[in-house]
Structure formats: C-alpha cells, structure tokens
Amino acid sequence: MAIVHELYQKNINITDLELAEEIVKYPELEPLDLWLLPQYPFDVWRRKYDYPRLIESIKRRRPDFIEWMNDQGITDEYLLNGYLSDFFESKPLDTTSNKHLIRVTYKGKVNLQSWHNYDSNKQYGGDDDPVEYEYIKAYKSYYDWLRENKGIRFSFINKLDRFNPNTDSEIVYVNTDVRMLKMGAMEPPTNAFGIMLRGKTLEFVNASGLILHGNIRFGDMGNLEFNHCTVDNLKCQELGLYHLNFQNCSVKNIQVINSDLQGWLFVSCYLTGNVIDSKLSYFRIFGGGFTPT
C-alpha cells in the first residue's frame, strides 16, 4: 500500500503541515505516493531530498550560475524555498525582465513566490485565515541574465540524457548527472467525481508515458502544470480536460485519441505527435510549434 494511503488511514483528518512532517521521514517515494501528496507536503519533501541535488549539480557544472546568484543576491535559501523554474525564465510577452520575490504565509505554510508584477499597495487577503505577503527583492531570472550579460540563450531542457527511451522504465537525467523524479508511465489517481488527486505544479519531473483518460476536472485540489519536465509519449485517450500548462518541456510524440482538449498552453516546448478523431480548441503555443501527423 502507498505510504500516503497509510498515513491517511491512520489519521483521515491529517493536515498538510502534519503530512509534511511525516512524509520527510521517507527518503524514497513511489510515483503513486508523489501523485497522492497535496502540493505543500510534496514541495517540502522535494526541497529536502530532490532540489539540493539539482542545485549542487548546476553550481558545479555551470560556474555562471554562481555568478548570477552573487550578482542578483539570490541565496540557497531562496532557491530551496521557491520553485526553481521561477528563478530561471521569465514568461514571453512580459513587459519587464525583472521579477519580484515574495514570501507568502498562509495557515502556517511559508513559501517563496516569484511574481512578474508587484503592487506595493497589495493588502493582506483572506478572511478568517489572512494571507501575508512580504516583499523580499527584485531580480533578473537566470535565463534573462545570461542573455543580457553573456549573449547566451540557454535552457536546462536542452540538457537531457535518456536511457531506455519510449519504455515504462525510461530514466531521464538533467544537467548530465541528476536523475529526474519519475512520475510517468501511469495514470494519475482521480476520485469518484473525476477530480484529479492531486493537481500539482511539477518541475524537473520525468512524466514520460503519462496516461490521461476520461473527463478530468480540477478544483480545490489544484490544477496541473509542467515546467522543465519530460512529458514525452503522453497518452490522451478519450480525454476531456481543460486548461493544462506546459513550459520549457519536452512533449514529443503526444498521442491524442477521441479527446476534447481546450485551453492548453505550451511555452518554449518541443511538441510533436498524433491527433486522431479529436477536437483541439484554444491551443496557445509560444516559442515553438506543433505539427501533428
């Protein structure tokens, strides 16, 4: 039985904070456990066991990354308590290359967020449980800084090494020596109402061979976003799914069969594949293209 299942069976009312405290006792988790975790304990677990390896590798293999950190005043604490992808690239069509680092506190959960715009007059939100926003600093993302200071266009999605590709046992390394967390080659769990358990923001994850099937809805449990991921051989079978976001991802050989997909967004992605007897509406593609066969 999945570890997360067992923890919920012991305490069905376990909070995200309590679950995070328990889950970090396990250095290895199966893909099903990772999908079952809510966003906050999932992030806490990764920041303990996964992100440090990636940050160490980037520092060792890309000396200009340390130069960027020093120039922009970015510390290891900032990198470990936010989303790494936020520190790398600004979104297309942004009016400024500056990003703003904000510390957000809600119900005892603290995380760092990178905003493209910041309103200094922003008030605390929420009613019974207010959300506190603490401004930390402005900075340029690593990719923008490289382009402006070194004349280099770079993306970690170009630094992928695959072993046993196009199989359920595929292993993907990023930056040459960091094995990406495996969450593919399976169908994510959903509840009886077709709501995904649990929607997540995923980055630097090997989701190749992921299967999405049926009418999947997002709700309070979160949406699904991919950033700096491999989602090759994604299988969409009789799928009804609105609003799925990919940024800086490899989405090669996507298979869309008898599906109705609306509002999908691809930013700076490698996207190829087949569309059969399906309807694609409001697809947005920036910094790339899609030529279905």
Side-chain angles (χ1 to χ4, degrees):
M1 180 181 293
I3 294 171
V4 178
H5 268 313
E6 293 180 356
L7 293 174
Y8 273 111
Q9 282 191 340
K10 291 178 181 178
N11 179 8
I12 193 172
N13 296 315
I14 191 170
T15 67
D16 284 0
L17 289 171
E18 293 168 338
L19 185 55
E21 185 177 348
E22 288 297 319
I23 205 63
V24 294
K25 298 176 183 178
Y26 302 89
E28 297 288 338
L29 294 176
E30 295 296 321
L32 179 58
D33 284 307
L34 297 171
W35 280 109
L36 288 172
L37 281 173
Q39 185 77 59
Y40 181 76
F42 175 79
D43 291 340
V44 170
W45 184 86
R46 292 201 74 188
R47 288 162 185 166
K48 180 175 177 64
Y49 294 111
D50 208 21
Y51 285 177
R53 299 181 304 114
L54 182 55
I55 293 172
E56 187 278 331
S57 171
I58 295 173
K59 285 182 175 180
R60 175 163 38 83
R61 293 187 174 276
R62 294 200 62 85
D64 53 27
F65 186 78
I66 298 177
E67 185 181 350
W68 164 77
M69 290 180 65
N70 293 333
D71 184 67
Q72 296 298 307
I74 301 298
T75 65
D76 284 355
E77 178 206 355
Y78 295 160
L79 294 174
L80 285 172
N81 288 282
Y83 288 112
L84 292 178
S85 297
D86 285 342
F87 291 98
F88 294 152
E89 186 170 27
S90 297
K91 293 180 180 177
L93 308 181
D94 192 23
T95 57
T96 172
S97 60
N98 282 335
K99 303 182 79 171
H100 304 275
L101 193 61
I102 313 293
R103 180 177 285 109
V104 181
T105 305
Y106 177 64
K107 290 186 176 181
K109 307 174 194 175
V110 181
N111 64 76
L112 298 182
Q113 297 181 6
S114 292
W115 297 2
H116 289 274
N117 298 290
Y118 174 72
D119 181 358
S120 60
N121 296 319
K122 187 174 182 62
Q123 301 295 313
Y124 291 7
D127 298 319
D128 296 333
D129 298 293
V131 184
E132 299 180 11
Y133 302 93
E134 178 189 350
Y135 187 84
I136 298 178
K137 68 186 316 296
Y139 72 96
K140 288 186 184 298
S141 70
Y142 176 54
Y143 291 172
D144 286 343
W145 182 87
L146 273 180
R147 187 175 63 253
E148 294 178 17
N149 291 272
K150 306 286 187 177
I152 298 173
R153 291 187 178 274
F154 176 79
S155 173
F156 285 106
I157 202 64
N158 296 327
K159 300 283 288 182
L160 299 178
D161 296 302
R162 295 174 171 85
F163 297 89
N164 301 320
N166 305 320
T167 69
D168 289 349
S169 60
E170 180 173 2
I171 299 173
V172 182
Y173 287 84
V174 65
N175 204 42
T176 303
D177 59 1
V178 179
R179 186 169 175 170
M180 296 177 79
L181 195 66
K182 187 174 178 62
M183 294 181 66
M186 64 173 295
E187 184 173 349
T190 57
N191 65 15
F193 299 99
I195 299 176
M196 181 176 289
L197 295 174
R198 316 265 185 161
K200 285 186 182 61
T201 296
L202 298 176
E203 60 175 5
F204 293 98
V205 161
N206 170 16
S208 293
L210 190 68
I211 301 169
L212 298 178
H213 173 264
N215 291 312
I216 298 178
R217 292 176 290 173
F218 296 132
D220 294 338
M221 296 180 183
N223 293 335
L224 186 59
E225 298 182 7
F226 296 94
N227 204 326
H228 288 89
C229 295
T230 61
V231 203
D232 297 337
N233 303 305
L234 173 63
K235 299 177 180 64
C236 304
Q237 301 172 345
E238 298 177 348
L239 175 65
L241 176 56
Y242 300 164
H243 308 298
L244 189 61
N245 294 341
F246 301 83
Q247 186 166 341
N248 303 296
C249 290
S250 175
V251 196
K252 297 178 180 178
N253 194 36
I254 183 174
Q255 302 296 310
V256 182
I257 303 173
N258 296 327
S259 298
D260 180 8
L261 312 181
Q262 296 187 29
W264 286 31
L265 171 66
F266 298 87
V267 180
S268 301
C269 293
Y270 296 102
L271 177 60
T272 63
N274 298 312
V275 180
I276 302 173
D277 295 333
S278 298
K279 179 181 178 182
L280 278 58
S281 306
Y282 305 107
F283 262 47
R284 292 169 294 165
I285 300 174
F286 297 98
F290 179 30
T291 306
T293 57

